């Protein structure tokens, strides 16, 4: 792929001013509407500031041209520039009732997609909104900047937390709203239930004044008249908003049974098109969310509790999830669909015991020992949690995959959880939900920094992820692959006992914290015997594995050694048989027929890779290959290599397998599209275009963009 990098188009801005103010907790209250493909509701953000948060005007300057209507902007350190608007241009009298909210019964007059324009109607700003009146503000006001994209923001207001009954117990000055929020956020971890209940009640408190706001393509900017510092700015605000059907943080699609569903996308822009937030990982926060949908749907989220539906009005249900461990906003996930919960056919007494232990009380958390993270109800300090090998888990899937899940997936989960516990120690979360996602799930992770620096970080905390928006970078995951093989190399060099012992110690030391590769490697080298680390240093590892192109020398040596192992030698023997079969004439005696060994899936991948190196493989050989190993029924890795063979040798009888792969394994199928087009075979190119037309509306956006460039 020819990657043409354009910073103005490809760099992903992180606009939130996290150096001045941080979100401590989110409370979301949302409705999911499949008919309009919109998620609508409110989010309440609770903030905290500290001594390091300085006055906004000290790190910025204003350049105004009052004689013209040209935009007045805060001049931020490159690359981020954030527009600023005079307080005179905001309408503080515009309320929620002033907007035409389309949807349930209302007539939409706001545009084709049912959304107000972000910069004009949604914020109630006139066409001269960027004209600065320097005489109107003698000193600059603090500007809260949140990461936001593809959202219609309808209203922003301060929340009167002082109006909540009983809230006065959190502060000696009940009229000081910011002090209430500060004391609420500072509650010890063993009072988290009380804290979350208070957050929920505060989120329902009345508003006490609308705030001035504006949006641009990548951010939501909010100010309060007279609030000159982050400490003066309201520490609890409510934002009423709704998503857009084309928003890049959620995908509205169908599951494998053809039923509608929606899920969050691990896309370059993470969750900023789902809710206004602070995207930089340093902004660690907790959250709780109430989501309503039609009763026929199941709502799953990355919460710590096993939520059950609560019946509302006829035909609707409500689901509530929460997280007590502070984490980046990008870890918030949601999936809504007609999923079926898969349960073991026989529920053993041990399963019941596990389920009963899934919700420990505050008394279970006795803080003995030390953790390096900020305070939260940590399972590493809970004796019963540290001994729990298999945590409670649920499995959800489309109804058409119920049998496959029952037979294959469910039996695998307990031994996998037990193995993870034996290697890494305490499970960081008390439960697990597993969802079989739709075929168009891209599965390639969240916003991805590569080995290059992510860009200059301004005094406010804003920065960029270099090339984060380039759709082709998603499929150039060489650094991930090299990282995987680096870990394999270290395990082999040190020995599994030493390596796994270190992993367990590392997880225990750094759980609940943000870490860098340097942290991992430095601790590893400090915890292994001197005789096991010749030529190993953080600098050497970065140079050989992360900063250099191509296959590292240690990996090349490992590949050679692996070729001599028993399983690889068995594959080599089978390859030789297939080469002989391919060279023989069509008619042969029965006694000359080869007898093929049964191979493991990884061996099949290696076998097919070797056969891909053959210049010619006859249709007869390909047909025999498929029959011998039932290749069309194997896992995606095997079927991908099989499809490559089909395309390379124009085996038309198996084109149906290529079509199926492109439909059912869309993320992996990107490479096949390229091979179909490079073949310059009209039939193969027609196959590629037909499959793309059938699936492009359901495809992950980055995948669709890359494939479209290949085909047209």
């Amino acid at each position: 792929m020819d990657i043409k990098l354009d910073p103005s188009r490809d760099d992903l801005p992180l606009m939130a001013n996290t150096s001045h103010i941080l979100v401590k907790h989110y409370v979301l209250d949302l409705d999911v509407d499949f008919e309009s493909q919109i998620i609508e509701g409110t989010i309440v953000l609770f903030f905290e500031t500290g001594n390091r948060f300085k006055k906004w005007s000290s790190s910025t300057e204003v350049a105004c041209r009052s004689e013209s209507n040209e935009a007045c902007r805060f001049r931020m350190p490159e690359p981020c520039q954030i527009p600023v608007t005079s307080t005179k241009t905001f309408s503080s009298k515009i309320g929620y009732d002033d907007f035409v909210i389309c949807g349930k019964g209302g007539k939409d007059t706001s545009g084709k997609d049912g959304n107000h324009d972000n910069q004009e109607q949604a914020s109630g700003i006139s066409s001269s909104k960027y004209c600065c009146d320097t005489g109107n503000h003698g000193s600059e006001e603090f500007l809260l900047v949140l990461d936001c994209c593809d959202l219609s923001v309808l209203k922003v207001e301060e929340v009167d937390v002082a109006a909540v009954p009983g809230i006065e117990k959190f502060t000696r000055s009940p009229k000081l709203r910011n002090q209430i929020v500060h004391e609420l956020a500072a509650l010890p971890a063993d009072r988290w239930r009380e804290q979350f209940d208070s957050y929920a009640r505060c989120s329902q408190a009345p508003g006490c004044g609308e705030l001035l706001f504006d949006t641009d393509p990548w951010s939501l900017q909010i100010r309060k008249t007279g609030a000159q510092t982050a400490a003066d700015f309201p520490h609890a605000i409510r934002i009423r908003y709704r998503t857009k059907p084309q928003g890049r943080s959620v995908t509205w699609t169908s599951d494998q049974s053809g039923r509608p569903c929606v899920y969050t996308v691990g896309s370059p822009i993470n969750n900023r098109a789902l809710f206004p937030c602070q995207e930089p990982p340093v902004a660690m926060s907790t959250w709780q969310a109430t989501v309503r949908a039609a009763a026929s749907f199941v709502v799953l989220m990355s919460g710590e509790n096993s939520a059950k539906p609560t019946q509302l009005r006829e035909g609707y249900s409500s689901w509530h999830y929460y997280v007590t461990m502070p984490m980046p906003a990008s870890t918030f996930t949601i999936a809504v669909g007609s999923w079926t919960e898969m349960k073991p056919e026989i529920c053993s007494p041990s399963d019941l015991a596990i389920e009963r232990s899934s919700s420990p009380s505050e008394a279970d958390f006795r803080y003995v020992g030390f953790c390096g993270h900020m305070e939260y109800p940590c399972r590493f300090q809970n004796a019963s949690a540290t001994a729990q090998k298999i945590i409670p888990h649920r499995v959800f899937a489309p109804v058409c995959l119920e049998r496959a899940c029952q037979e294959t997936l469910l039996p695998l989960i307990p031994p996998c959880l037990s193995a993870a516990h034996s290697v890494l120690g305490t499970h960081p979360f008390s439960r697990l939900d597993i969802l079989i996602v739709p075929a168009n799930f891209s599965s390639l992770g969240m916003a991805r920094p590569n080995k290059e620096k992510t860009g200059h970080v301004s005094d406010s905390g804003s920065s960029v992820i270099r090339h984060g928006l380039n759709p082709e970078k998603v499929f150039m995951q060489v650094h991930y692959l090299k990282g995987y093989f680096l870990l394999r190399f270290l395990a082999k060099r040190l020995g599994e006992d030493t390596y796994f012992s270190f992993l367990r110690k590392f997880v225990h030391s750094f759980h609940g914290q943000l870490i860098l590769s340097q942290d991992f490697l430095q601790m590893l080298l400090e915890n292994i015997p001197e005789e096991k680390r010749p030529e190993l240093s953080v600098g050497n590892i970065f140079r050989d594995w992360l900063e250099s192109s191509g296959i590292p020398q240690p990996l090349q040596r490992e590949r050679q050694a692996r070729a001599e192992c028993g399983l690889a030698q068995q594959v080599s023997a089978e390859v030789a048989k297939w080469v002989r079969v391919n060279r023989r004439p069509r008619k042969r005696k029965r006694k000359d027929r080869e007898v093929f060994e049964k191979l493991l899936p990884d061996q099949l991948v290696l076998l097919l890779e070797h056969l891909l190196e053959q210049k010619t493989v006859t249709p007869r050989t390909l047909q025999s290959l498929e029959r011998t190993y039932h290749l069309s029924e194997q896992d995606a890795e095997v079927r991908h290599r099989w499809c490559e063979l089909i395309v390379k040798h124009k085996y038309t009888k198996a084109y149906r397998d290529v079509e199926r792969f492109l439909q059912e394994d869309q993320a992996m199928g990107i490479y096949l599209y390229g091979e179909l087009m490079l073949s310059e075979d009209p039939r193969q190119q027609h196959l590629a275009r037909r499959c793309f037309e059938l699936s492009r509306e359901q495809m992950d956006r980055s995948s669709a963009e890359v494939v479209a460039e290949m085909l047209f």
Side-chain angles (χ1 to χ4, degrees):
M1 287 181 282
D2 182 20
I3 300 180
K4 299 177 181 178
L5 301 177
D6 177 3
S8 65
R9 183 194 69 177
D10 297 324
D11 290 349
L12 173 67
L14 302 178
M15 306 292 278
N17 51 342
T18 53
S19 295
H20 298 110
I21 191 167
L22 285 173
V23 177
K24 299 295 290 184
H25 189 77
Y26 297 96
V27 179
L28 296 98
D29 191 87
L30 303 173
D31 289 280
V32 179
D33 188 336
F34 277 89
E35 184 175 347
S36 62
Q37 295 191 342
I38 286 174
I39 299 175
E40 181 176 356
T42 63
I43 181 170
V44 177
L45 297 83
F46 295 88
F47 296 99
E48 183 65 288
T49 57
N51 293 333
R52 70 183 186 280
F53 299 113
K54 53 188 177 180
K55 191 172 181 179
W56 175 261
S57 58
S58 66
S59 62
T60 59
E61 60 177 315
V62 177
C64 290
R65 300 185 182 181
S66 56
E67 68 274 13
S68 71
N69 285 339
E70 185 169 342
C72 168
R73 306 175 75 87
F74 273 117
R75 289 197 174 175
M76 302 287 297
E78 293 297 326
C80 298
Q81 285 193 318
I82 303 173
V84 64
T85 307
S86 165
T87 56
K88 188 175 182 180
T89 66
F90 285 83
S91 172
S92 62
K93 297 181 180 180
I94 292 181
Y96 182 63
D97 293 338
D98 293 315
F99 297 97
V100 180
I101 307 302
C102 75
K104 305 168 178 67
K107 184 178 180 181
D108 177 19
T109 60
S110 59
K112 291 182 179 179
D113 63 357
N115 295 284
H116 298 291
D117 177 82
N118 262 5
Q119 295 202 353
E120 292 290 333
Q121 292 169 283
S123 57
I125 300 173
S126 69
S127 60
S128 61
K129 60 186 174 184
Y130 289 128
C131 179
C132 292
D133 180 359
T134 55
N136 191 51
H137 34 117
S139 60
E140 292 305 315
E141 293 168 342
F142 174 76
L143 186 71
L144 169 68
V145 183
L146 299 174
D147 293 302
C148 175
C149 178
D150 299 335
L151 293 178
S152 289
V153 178
L154 307 174
K155 181 181 180 181
V156 182
E157 62 182 346
E158 181 177 0
V159 178
D160 188 7
V161 295
V164 176
I167 201 69
E168 62 274 2
K169 67 181 178 181
F170 292 114
T171 178
R172 297 174 183 175
S173 304
K175 292 185 179 180
L176 299 177
R177 302 186 188 95
N178 285 3
Q179 183 65 22
I180 293 174
V181 175
H182 171 75
E183 307 241 357
L184 180 57
L187 284 176
D190 59 0
R191 296 175 64 185
W192 70 267
R193 291 185 186 276
E194 179 186 7
Q195 181 188 52
F196 274 46
D197 176 66
S198 297
Y199 276 136
R201 290 189 294 124
C202 286
S203 72
Q204 299 297 318
C208 56
E210 294 186 25
L211 302 177
L212 314 171
F213 69 92
D214 189 18
T215 59
D216 65 21
W218 289 110
S219 69
L220 167 65
Q221 306 116 36
I222 305 170
R223 71 169 73 244
K224 179 181 179 179
T225 302
Q228 297 183 14
T229 67
D232 299 330
F233 190 81
H235 282 27
I237 66 171
R238 181 186 296 115
I239 302 172
R240 181 171 293 278
Y241 74 98
R242 60 183 177 183
T243 65
K244 296 184 178 182
Q246 70 274 22
R248 284 168 280 178
S249 292
V250 292
T251 294
W252 300 86
T253 185
S254 299
D255 64 21
Q256 290 86 341
S257 294
R259 298 179 177 179
C261 63
V262 62
Y263 62 85
T264 46
V265 187
S267 70
I269 70 166
N270 292 334
N271 281 321
R272 68 191 67 187
L274 178 61
F275 59 91
C277 57
Q278 292 181 329
E279 276 285 0
V282 69
M284 308 260 281
S285 58
T286 53
W287 59 264
Q288 56 189 307
T290 299
V291 178
R292 289 170 294 277
S296 58
F297 292 103
V298 173
V299 177
L300 302 176
M301 301 181 74
S302 52
E304 296 174 8
N305 58 311
S306 296
K308 302 292 184 182
T310 300
Q311 288 299 124
L312 301 175
R313 63 188 186 279
E314 185 178 357
Y316 283 86
S317 297
S318 173
W319 301 70
H320 182 76
Y321 288 90
Y322 60 82
V323 160
T324 62
M325 178 193 294
M327 292 190 293
S330 60
T331 63
F332 181 100
T333 60
I334 182 171
V336 185
S338 299
W339 325 119
T340 299
E341 183 177 357
M342 308 291 140
K343 296 183 178 180
E345 296 181 357
I346 300 177
C347 187
S348 66
S350 60
D351 292 333
L352 295 175
I354 291 172
E355 186 65 33
R356 282 196 296 269
S357 66
S358 63
S359 299
S361 66
E362 290 89 340
D364 292 327
F365 292 97
R366 297 178 177 87
Y367 294 92
V368 293
F370 174 77
C371 288
H373 54 70
M374 62 184 76
E375 191 179 8
Y376 65 84
C378 178
R379 287 172 52 82
F380 284 76
Q381 299 182 15
N382 181 326
S384 61
T386 57
Q388 191 177 30
K389 295 182 178 180
I390 303 173
I391 56 176
H393 50 275
R394 304 184 299 183
V395 178
F396 295 86
V399 65
C400 67
L401 298 178
E402 182 173 1
R403 182 177 177 182
C405 287
Q406 290 282 359
E407 295 177 353
T408 305
L409 183 58
L410 283 181
L412 287 174
I413 298 173
C416 286
L417 290 171
S418 181
H421 182 273
S422 67
V423 173
L424 301 176
T426 306
H427 292 289
F429 299 104
S430 59
R431 56 173 290 277
L432 174 68
D433 276 348
I434 298 172
L435 171 65
I436 307 300
V437 295
N440 63 348
F441 189 84
S442 63
S443 72
L444 289 173
M446 298 292 182
R448 296 159 308 280
N450 57 16
K451 70 174 185 176
E452 301 177 64
K453 294 181 179 179
T454 56
H456 176 77
V457 178
S458 74
D459 289 343
S460 73
S462 62
S463 63
V464 297
I465 294 179
R466 296 285 303 278
H467 317 315
L469 292 175
N470 187 291
E472 293 182 348
K473 295 291 282 188
V474 176
F475 306 102
M476 306 293 286
Q477 300 296 304
V478 176
H479 53 291
Y480 279 169
L481 293 174
K482 290 174 74 172
Y484 164 76
F485 284 109
L486 170 59
L487 297 181
R488 287 278 305 272
F489 161 75
L490 292 173
K492 188 172 183 179
R493 167 69 77 90
L494 304 178
E496 289 192 354
D497 289 344
T498 299
Y499 182 66
F500 288 151
S501 175
F502 159 74
L503 281 184
R504 192 182 185 103
K505 182 177 181 180
F506 179 81
V507 170
H508 191 274
S509 299
F510 283 96
H511 68 275
Q513 303 175 64
L514 295 175
I515 59 170
L516 300 174
S517 299
Q518 292 95 319
D519 299 326
F520 176 86
L521 294 173
Q522 189 63 49
M523 183 175 178
L524 172 66
L525 297 178
E526 291 173 355
N527 281 269
I528 59 175
E530 185 72 32
E531 65 272 12
K532 289 193 175 184
R533 49 174 167 162
E535 302 178 5
L536 284 181
S537 70
V538 174
N540 289 344
I541 292 172
F542 265 73
R543 182 195 65 211
D544 297 339
W545 288 86
L546 302 179
E547 296 174 352
S548 301
S549 61
I551 300 176
Q553 284 295 325
L555 186 54
Q556 293 187 34
R557 292 193 294 267
E558 183 182 326
R559 287 179 65 187
Q560 181 62 37
R562 193 165 60 245
E564 300 171 0
C565 77
L567 292 176
Q569 288 180 344
Q570 185 182 13
V571 172
S572 297
E574 297 304 296
V575 171
K577 294 177 186 178
W578 283 109
V579 171
R580 290 196 297 268
V581 167
N582 191 54
R583 291 174 179 171
R584 286 174 183 163
R586 184 175 182 83
K587 293 184 179 180
R588 64 185 185 276
K589 297 180 181 179
R590 181 176 296 272
K591 65 179 181 180
D592 294 332
R593 292 181 180 176
E594 300 284 358
V595 177
F596 298 102
E597 300 293 334
K598 185 176 181 180
L599 299 179
L600 298 170
D602 286 347
Q603 289 179 299
L604 280 176
V605 171
L606 185 58
L607 171 77
L608 296 176
E609 286 179 348
H610 281 304
L611 293 178
L612 278 165
E613 297 172 0
Q614 297 295 311
K615 186 175 181 180
T616 303
V617 179
T618 66
R620 172 176 48 84
T621 302
L622 292 169
Q623 183 180 42
S624 183
L625 261 174
E626 205 288 323
R627 288 178 177 175
T628 300
Y629 302 115
H630 306 286
L631 294 175
S632 61
E633 302 171 12
Q634 296 290 340
D635 64 31
E637 292 284 353
V638 175
R639 287 187 290 111
H640 188 274
R641 300 323 191 277
W642 169 232
C643 288
E644 288 183 278
L645 271 174
I646 295 169
V647 172
K648 179 177 180 179
H649 301 291
K650 299 180 174 61
Y651 183 40
T652 57
K653 290 185 177 180
Y655 279 0
R656 64 186 182 278
D657 291 342
V658 178
E659 293 181 16
R660 176 193 163 205
F661 194 90
L662 293 177
Q663 298 295 309
E664 297 182 5
D665 301 273
Q666 293 177 15
M668 294 182 66
I670 302 302
Y671 304 96
L672 277 183
Y673 278 110
E675 292 174 27
L676 286 166
M677 297 306 294
L678 289 173
S679 70
E680 298 186 355
D681 178 80
R683 184 168 178 179
Q684 289 192 358
Q685 292 184 345
H686 176 71
L687 184 154
R689 292 190 176 102
R690 185 175 73 252
C691 289
F692 182 59
E693 289 302 321
L694 290 173
S695 58
R696 70 183 305 172
E697 295 302 321
Q698 302 281 320
M699 252 183 168
D700 165 73
R701 179 172 298 192
S702 295
S703 302
E705 289 180 13
V706 172
V707 174
E709 289 186 7
M710 293 179 186
L711 302 187
F712 307 107

